[in-house]
Amino acid sequence: MPTTNSFDYAVVRVVPYVEREEFINVGVILFCRTQRFLAAKIELDEQRLAAMAPQLDPEKVRHHLELIPRICGGDASHPIGQLAPAERFHWLVTPRSTSIQVSGVHTGLCTDPAEALEHLMQAMVRLC
């Protein structure tokens, strides 16, 4: 029988106008310490972004969002990517008042963290 593991996750958001607090969910970061799993998936819906903030350049937003999975994966070319997985996760989920933010950290249980990440993407990011 597979072992159930706890995990922490946060939803990645694009907040075009920080003062208005409106946002688009664009990804999920998931950390499962017992499985030594830290990963993120990002999917920017450019049509939704254009409807909310037509002045934003989606390529610039995408460029910044693409750093998140790389840092999770331990990309040594980025200083934060060189940290231990728990430190990378905590750095990524630290509250910020920029155009790319994360939700509060939530917890869950899973037997397969990659499957849990995919489930969260479906539930939190993708429009049904």
Side-chain angles (χ1 to χ4, degrees):
M1 182 168 155
T3 304
T4 301
N5 302 280
S6 66
F7 65 86
D8 296 319
Y9 74 93
V11 178
V12 180
R13 302 168 170 165
V14 173
V15 186
Y17 305 102
V18 175
E19 62 280 0
R20 291 179 59 153
E21 298 183 7
E22 297 174 334
F23 58 86
I24 301 167
N25 289 345
V26 296
V28 176
I29 305 167
L30 189 141
F31 178 55
C32 180
R33 183 182 306 271
T34 57
Q35 292 290 315
R36 296 185 176 137
F37 181 92
L38 173 60
K41 286 192 175 191
I42 302 292
E43 294 178 10
L44 177 62
D45 184 332
E46 291 186 20
Q47 288 183 321
R48 290 179 68 202
L49 181 63
M52 183 179 276
Q55 83 291 352
L56 281 184
D57 179 353
E59 285 307 311
K60 287 183 181 178
V61 173
R62 186 177 304 286
H63 172 75
H64 291 289
L65 289 171
E66 287 172 350
L67 288 173
I68 295 170
R70 288 179 38 208
I71 290 170
C72 286
D75 183 346
S77 69
H78 193 284
I80 304 304
Q82 298 173 25
L83 299 173
E87 293 171 305
R88 292 193 307 261
F89 177 73
H90 291 294
W91 186 87
L92 287 166
V93 300
T94 298
R96 293 172 176 78
S97 61
T98 62
S99 292
I100 297 176
Q101 300 181 10
V102 295
S103 69
V105 175
H106 306 282
T107 60
L109 296 172
C110 71
T111 56
D112 180 348
E115 187 177 289
L117 178 58
E118 181 59 30
H119 171 76
L120 288 167
M121 283 295 292
Q122 190 63 37
M124 303 294 189
V125 176
R126 298 176 186 134
L127 296 176
C128 297

